[in-house]
């Protein structure tokens, strides 16, 4: 298993380097001149050249990329173009806990709700319970996250008008704090963020469990007279979980992409929000840093998926 994990780790390092290279090249060849935009009406050729030298933009592209990589491994992403003399990590340090909290609870909710719903539907396959569950899940799965977010904001405003309540439609509150005031900010964004992944997990869980229940070892366990709950939870469930572990990295990728919509629609000051603002301001160091952070999250998710897969499936240990 160690050899298997080492191969995966080396491969994921190359993936991360590839992501950083693509991100750097896109920023390098992007139209416009961020230094000229920074100076605005106060453009001065001497100051312009000084700033290009200070940011290392007068170097060849390959040397700029090498400097970017060498600083990245020290968690140094340079300085912002928009906020002069302010380090990129100083800008992002407040957004990391917010995005981490949003993604963490969304992922937990997807697993805690999606898996039981899918398993229960599989056990009640082709009944009205299965039809209702899968009908609702299909609707939830088909609605884009940004559409669902706007709909929920409209519902909150309508609810506040009808009841005189003051349920917030934007912002986040204090990261990792859960008093009633903070929860009022967090509940709806987390539910909306988790909705698509929850539906995906439920559909995958149902299909996986139905496939496992047709296997010979399940029929053999039932033929031995084992209790149905023992057959389901001890024999079938573990094998049905294997496909779910393989998509763990995909779930993180979906959470990363969804963060851009959720954080901007709900005005949540996380990494996704900072990324969109940086794109508008052509603040390329911040864009590069946020893309790297999201790529690291996806890479770590895939690594964890491989580790969990090897623990559940003994065949991996023999490789």
């Amino acid at each position: 298993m160690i050899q298997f994990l080492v191969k995966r780790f080396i491969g994921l390092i190359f993936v991360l380097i590839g992501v950083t290279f693509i991100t750097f090249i896109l920023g390098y060849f992007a139209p416009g001149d961020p230094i000229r935009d920074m100076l605005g009406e106060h453009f001065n050729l001497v100051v312009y050249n000084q700033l290009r030298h200070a940011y290392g933009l007068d170097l060849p592209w390959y040397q700029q990329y090498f400097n970017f990589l060498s600083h990245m491994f020290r968690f140094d992403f340079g300085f912002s173009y928009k906020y002069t003399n302010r380090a990129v990590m100083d800008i992002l340090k407040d957004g990391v806990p917010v995005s981490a909290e949003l993604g963490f609870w969304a992922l937990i909710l997807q697993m805690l709700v999606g898996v039981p719903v899918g398993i229960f539907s599989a056990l009640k396959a082709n009944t009205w319970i299965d039809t209702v569950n899968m009908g609702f899940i299909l609707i939830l799965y088909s609605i884009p996250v940004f559409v669902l977010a706007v709909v929920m904001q409209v519902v909150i405003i309508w609810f506040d008008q009808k009841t005189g309540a003051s349920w917030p439609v934007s912002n986040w509150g204090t990261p990792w704090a859960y008093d009633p005031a903070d929860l009022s900010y967090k509940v709806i964004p987390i539910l909306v963020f988790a909705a698509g992944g929850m539906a995906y997990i439920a559909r995958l869980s149902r299909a996986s469990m139905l496939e496992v229940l047709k296997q010979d070892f399940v029929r053999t366990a039932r033929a031995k007279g084992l209790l149905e709950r023992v057959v389901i939870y001890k024999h079938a469930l573990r094998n049905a979980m294997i496909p779910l572990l393989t998509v763990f990295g995909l779930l993180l990728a979906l959470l990363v992409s969804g963060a851009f919509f959720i954080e901007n629609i709900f005005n949540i000051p996380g990494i996704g929000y900072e990324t969109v603002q940086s794109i508008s301001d052509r603040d390329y160091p911040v864009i590069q840093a946020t893309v790297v952070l999201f790529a690291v999250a996806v890479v770590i998710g895939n690594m964890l998926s491989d580790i969990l897969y090897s623990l559940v499936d003994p065949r991996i240990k023999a490789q």
Side-chain angles (χ1 to χ4, degrees):
M1 185 177 72
I2 295 178
Q3 184 180 2
F4 167 78
L5 294 177
V6 169
K7 290 180 181 179
R8 287 291 189 271
F9 182 73
I10 294 174
L12 293 176
I13 289 178
F14 282 104
V15 169
L16 184 58
I17 292 176
V19 169
T20 60
F21 180 76
I22 294 173
T23 304
F24 173 82
I25 290 299
L26 289 176
Y28 182 82
F29 288 107
D33 189 336
I35 303 299
R36 192 177 186 90
D37 293 341
M38 183 193 305
L39 294 174
E41 298 178 355
H42 305 286
F43 177 80
N44 181 283
L45 185 59
V46 175
V47 177
Y48 174 80
N49 291 328
Q50 289 175 345
L51 286 174
R52 280 183 59 84
H53 179 72
Y55 283 100
L57 298 178
D58 55 345
L59 298 173
W61 70 267
Y62 53 87
Q63 193 168 350
Q64 290 186 43
Y65 178 64
F66 177 78
N67 292 338
F68 171 72
L69 276 183
S70 61
H71 286 85
M72 182 191 72
F73 287 111
R74 300 197 300 267
F75 298 98
D76 178 11
F77 293 96
F79 293 89
S80 168
Y81 292 159
K82 180 181 179 181
Y83 305 102
T84 309
N85 295 326
R86 189 177 180 189
V88 172
M89 288 305 295
D90 183 53
I91 297 173
L92 299 180
K93 67 179 182 181
D94 295 330
V96 171
V98 173
S99 294
E101 183 183 21
L102 176 63
F104 173 79
W105 287 116
L107 183 61
I108 293 297
L109 195 60
Q110 288 174 359
M111 301 303 294
L112 290 182
V113 176
V115 173
V117 169
I119 298 299
F120 185 69
S121 291
L123 298 178
K124 300 292 183 181
N126 301 320
T127 66
W128 69 269
I129 297 176
D130 180 36
T131 302
V132 171
N133 280 348
M134 288 299 102
F136 177 74
I137 288 299
L138 184 61
I139 293 172
L140 202 60
Y141 183 70
S142 62
I143 300 177
V145 63
F146 54 88
V147 173
L148 185 60
V150 174
V151 169
M152 290 305 300
Q153 284 185 323
V154 173
V155 171
I156 292 172
I157 293 173
W158 174 85
F159 177 78
D160 288 346
Q161 291 176 344
K162 293 295 183 180
T163 63
S166 57
W167 198 274
V169 295
S170 64
N171 220 316
W172 185 248
T174 305
W176 302 99
Y178 302 106
D179 56 49
D182 287 303
L183 284 175
S184 65
Y185 287 101
K186 299 175 182 181
V187 170
I188 300 301
I190 290 174
L191 288 175
V192 172
F193 199 27
M198 190 190 308
Y200 176 76
I201 286 295
R203 286 164 53 85
L204 184 60
S205 300
R206 178 182 181 275
S208 180
M209 179 58 81
L210 286 176
E211 183 66 26
V212 169
L213 291 176
K214 298 176 183 178
Q215 300 298 317
D216 292 337
F217 72 90
V218 174
R219 287 195 291 267
T220 302
R222 286 172 172 164
K224 288 180 177 180
L226 295 178
L227 295 175
E228 185 66 14
R229 65 173 181 271
V230 175
V231 174
I232 297 299
Y233 296 109
K234 186 176 180 180
H235 296 277
L237 183 58
R238 180 173 180 177
N239 289 276
M241 289 295 292
I242 293 177
L244 298 179
L245 296 178
T246 61
V247 301
F248 185 77
L250 174 61
L251 286 177
L252 278 183
L254 293 174
L255 288 175
V256 166
S257 61
F260 292 94
F261 298 111
I262 292 295
E263 291 183 5
N264 280 273
I265 292 173
F266 286 99
N267 198 30
I268 299 172
I271 300 298
Y273 179 83
E274 289 291 346
T275 302
V276 174
Q277 298 302 311
S278 300
I279 293 173
S280 301
D281 299 327
R282 291 183 178 177
D283 199 348
Y284 297 130
V286 177
I287 297 172
Q288 292 169 347
T290 54
V291 171
V292 168
L293 290 175
F294 280 133
V296 168
V298 175
V299 165
I300 291 176
N302 279 280
M303 191 69 182
L304 291 175
S305 178
D306 289 335
I307 293 174
L308 293 173
Y309 192 96
S310 65
L311 294 176
V312 173
D313 191 345
R315 292 171 295 181
I316 298 297
K317 298 177 182 179
Q319 296 183 5

